[in-house]
Amino acid sequence: MECGQFFRYKRVGDWYYIHSGNKFFRVRQDSDRLEFSGADKDFIRHFFSLDTALKDILAEIPQDRYTKKAFHLYYGLRLIRQDPWDCLLSYICSIASNIPKIQRCLDGLARAFGREVRLGEVKGYSLPEPDDVRNVAARHAVPLLKETGLGFRSNYICEISRTADRRFLESLKSLPYTEAKGRLMELPGVGEKVADCVLLFSLGFVEAFPVDRWIERALRTFYFKGQKVSPKLINSFARDYFGNYGGYAQQYLYYYSRTALGRDFFKK
DNA sequence: TATCAGGGCGATC
DNA sequence: GATCGCCCTGAT
């Protein structure tokens, strides 16, 4: 839950309360046993990618000293299958931001435009559907959105709500990776990084390799002896080297670079 | 008070 | 196609 790919959770005691589309459910783990309520078994299995043969996937990725270490330390880490629309909103909020702020923005967005959902005593708000934003949108949406602290991201969300919907996102699944990415990048506020996040975390493109500042530093340090590398080279290296399951490599290396290595590793 | 962050965009060369 | 300033906001 907390490795940075997903933001719409809230911890209450040892439970994680999770929003995904209009679903609101909770899970907790007790050693190798997963308890849950608010969603059925099939959904949980799908959401957490418990149906994927993790071992086989990791075996497809080049085993160098860094990937091996990360796989060993965090074995069990999987890519969550997020709700595509929620995922798109989430990564628009992530632009030039950080996790606490992303979560604040999404929370504000949900409270202002989303719908109330309940699970037992616990109340939550799902993220607004494109229609929800669009309907308020006509005149006041941007100012209203800005009240949630979204800043310049407000315009992106407003525009995207007008030009994209769930059908559009769903239709991308049947396209080749490069085409799907191109279509996503036509949306305002969606560049390479955001597009790759949406493709990887919600549309099943496990070959997508989102390059953000952290992973860029990690790759530069691990594979380029710390030398300067152009964004373009980093991207093409990642795709060529890590292969068809690059997304899994990305997630392990990303988490590795942010935890085991720590920030100090990258400071001069 | 200035700078920067888990980017994108438009202008410029 | 590479680089740069700007975009809101919160943190340092």
Side-chain angles (χ1 to χ4, degrees):
Chain A
M1 290 310 319
E2 300 186 11
C3 67
Q5 58 177 311
F6 186 70
F7 309 103
R8 293 285 290 152
Y9 66 85
K10 183 169 55 178
R11 209 177 164 154
V12 182
D14 53 352
W15 287 98
Y16 285 98
Y17 283 77
I18 299 167
H19 290 280
S20 179
N22 57 11
K23 283 194 162 55
F24 187 43
F25 57 99
R26 64 176 189 173
V27 300
R28 72 174 170 189
Q29 187 170 353
D30 180 13
S31 70
D32 64 346
R33 184 157 173 264
L34 193 62
E35 263 187 88
F36 58 89
S37 60
D40 62 39
K41 197 171 180 175
D42 287 341
F43 177 85
I44 296 289
R45 197 197 307 274
H46 182 265
F47 184 78
F48 288 106
S49 293
L50 297 177
D51 53 348
T52 62
L54 187 58
K55 201 171 175 183
D56 298 339
I57 287 179
L58 298 188
E60 293 290 317
I61 297 166
Q63 310 287 308
D64 58 47
R65 54 187 298 201
Y66 306 109
T67 54
K68 270 201 277 194
K69 181 77 177 167
F71 294 164
H72 175 70
L73 281 173
Y74 308 119
Y75 185 78
L77 169 58
R78 287 158 195 270
L79 291 168
I80 290 179
R81 294 200 182 100
Q82 302 185 29
D83 176 82
W85 176 251
D86 286 12
C87 188
L88 177 56
L89 287 182
S90 297
Y91 282 92
I92 290 293
C93 291
S94 81
I95 300 173
S97 193
N98 52 54
I99 292 175
K101 177 161 172 57
I102 296 168
Q103 290 178 324
R104 264 201 312 280
C105 284
L106 290 172
D107 258 12
L109 209 47
R111 276 170 205 280
F113 301 101
R115 296 173 191 177
E116 188 180 311
V117 285
R118 282 182 167 281
L119 183 61
E121 300 293 305
V122 180
K123 190 166 70 175
Y125 295 87
S126 58
L127 283 171
E129 294 296 313
D131 280 343
D132 296 331
V133 182
R134 197 160 27 204
N135 290 340
V136 200
R139 299 179 309 244
H140 305 301
V142 172
L144 279 175
L145 287 176
K146 285 193 174 177
E147 287 176 18
T148 65
L150 285 163
F152 62 85
R153 304 165 194 84
S154 307
N155 297 306
Y156 295 153
I157 289 179
C158 241
E159 275 308 302
I160 287 175
S161 296
R162 293 213 317 241
T163 55
D165 56 21
R166 289 181 174 284
R167 247 202 322 274
F168 165 72
L169 293 175
E170 210 59 38
S171 74
L172 299 178
K173 285 184 178 175
S174 59
L175 268 43
Y177 165 72
T178 310
E179 281 182 43
K181 186 168 175 178
R183 294 300 306 278
L184 272 177
M185 288 175 63
E186 290 172 10
L187 300 174
V190 180
E192 275 211 65
K193 193 270 180 177
V194 170
D196 275 328
C197 286
V198 174
L199 291 171
L200 177 60
F201 299 137
S202 76
L203 295 177
F205 289 87
V206 286
E207 67 268 54
F209 194 104
V211 176
D212 56 30
R213 292 282 187 268
W214 288 99
I215 206 72
E216 189 268 337
R217 277 192 282 261
L219 294 189
R220 178 156 42 87
T221 306
F222 296 161
Y223 303 104
F224 293 89
K225 298 176 180 176
Q227 296 165 0
K228 269 188 202 168
V229 190
S230 72
K232 192 167 183 162
L233 182 56
I234 285 278
N235 271 290
S236 62
F237 166 78
R239 271 202 312 281
D240 295 344
Y241 180 69
F242 294 108
N244 292 334
Y245 294 100
Y248 269 88
Q250 193 270 7
Q251 202 51 208
Y252 275 85
L253 289 177
Y254 175 78
Y255 195 52
Y256 182 44
S257 71
R258 297 219 53 177
T259 54
L261 297 179
R263 293 163 172 272
D264 294 339
F265 185 88
F266 294 107
K267 282 184 179 166
K268 286 187 177 175

